[in-house]
Amino acid sequence: MDISARVDYAVRAMLILAEADAEGSGPISVDTLATRQELPRKFLEAIFADLRRSDLVLSRRGARGGYVLGRPRGEISVGDIFRSVDGPLAEVRGLRPHETEYQGVATHLPSLWVAVRASLREVLDETSIEDLRTGDLPDRVRQLLSAPDAWRNR
């Protein structure tokens, strides 16, 4: 799985908004978001347009304006952010996994693609931006992280 820069930047920026929400510090400007995580400002503006269309963030105008979370931080999943900026969690040649169909020896391959999507959902949709901010990750995510080879490249 390739996690795009868009997803990485969006999650990092959303963590800043979640932190601001937890502290009650109000809206955060794109400039501040870009500076805090060393993100490209123009790219971040495009990402926030997607997040705004998905109602994950709200913009506030004015001298003290900026962005705030569009929903409570415990109700925004990492999967929501991923889909907002990059589309579906899993695609196979532009198709959803359940839409694929193969002949012969590859007949059962769609089942594997659907299982891959389900595993992504299990991790990304069950982990809120608040879970990530506090490090209090869901049990299943912690189990996966504690697997002997979880942190090794293969």
Side-chain angles (χ1 to χ4, degrees):
M1 174 179 180
D2 180 48
I3 299 169
S4 72
R6 287 180 66 80
V7 170
D8 180 56
Y9 295 172
V11 171
R12 290 163 58 192
M14 291 291 283
L15 284 166
I16 295 169
L17 294 183
E19 184 92 6
D21 183 68
E23 294 171 352
S25 61
I28 306 288
S29 71
V30 169
D31 285 332
T32 301
L33 291 165
T35 301
R36 286 196 191 166
Q37 282 290 311
E38 298 179 6
L39 305 173
R41 184 183 185 282
K42 285 290 188 189
F43 197 23
L44 201 53
E45 286 175 353
I47 290 168
F48 267 78
D50 291 336
L51 293 169
R52 196 172 53 246
R53 273 190 292 279
S54 298
D55 297 323
L56 296 179
V57 298
L58 302 172
S59 61
R60 302 281 191 239
R61 296 191 184 278
R64 302 196 64 151
Y67 289 96
V68 296
L69 296 177
R71 298 194 308 245
R73 57 189 184 274
E75 294 177 17
I76 299 173
S77 75
V78 176
D80 292 333
I81 299 166
F82 191 113
R83 287 181 192 91
S84 175
V85 300
D86 245 13
L89 294 179
E91 286 187 322
V92 181
R93 297 174 289 106
L95 298 172
R96 302 290 176 90
H98 66 277
E99 296 171 338
T100 59
E101 188 175 324
Y102 305 99
Q103 303 302 313
V105 71
T107 298
H108 303 289
L109 191 51
S111 296
L112 181 65
W113 298 153
V114 168
V116 168
R117 179 180 60 189
S119 68
L120 290 171
R121 285 177 177 168
E122 182 179 19
V123 171
L124 299 175
D125 288 343
E126 298 303 319
T127 304
S128 74
I129 200 72
E130 178 67 359
D131 297 335
L132 194 56
R133 183 186 76 81
T134 63
D136 187 20
L137 299 172
D139 290 339
R140 181 63 183 136
V141 174
R142 282 188 293 209
Q143 288 171 357
L144 291 167
L145 288 170
S146 67
D149 66 343
W151 294 88
R152 285 190 330 187
N153 285 337
R154 284 206 233 172

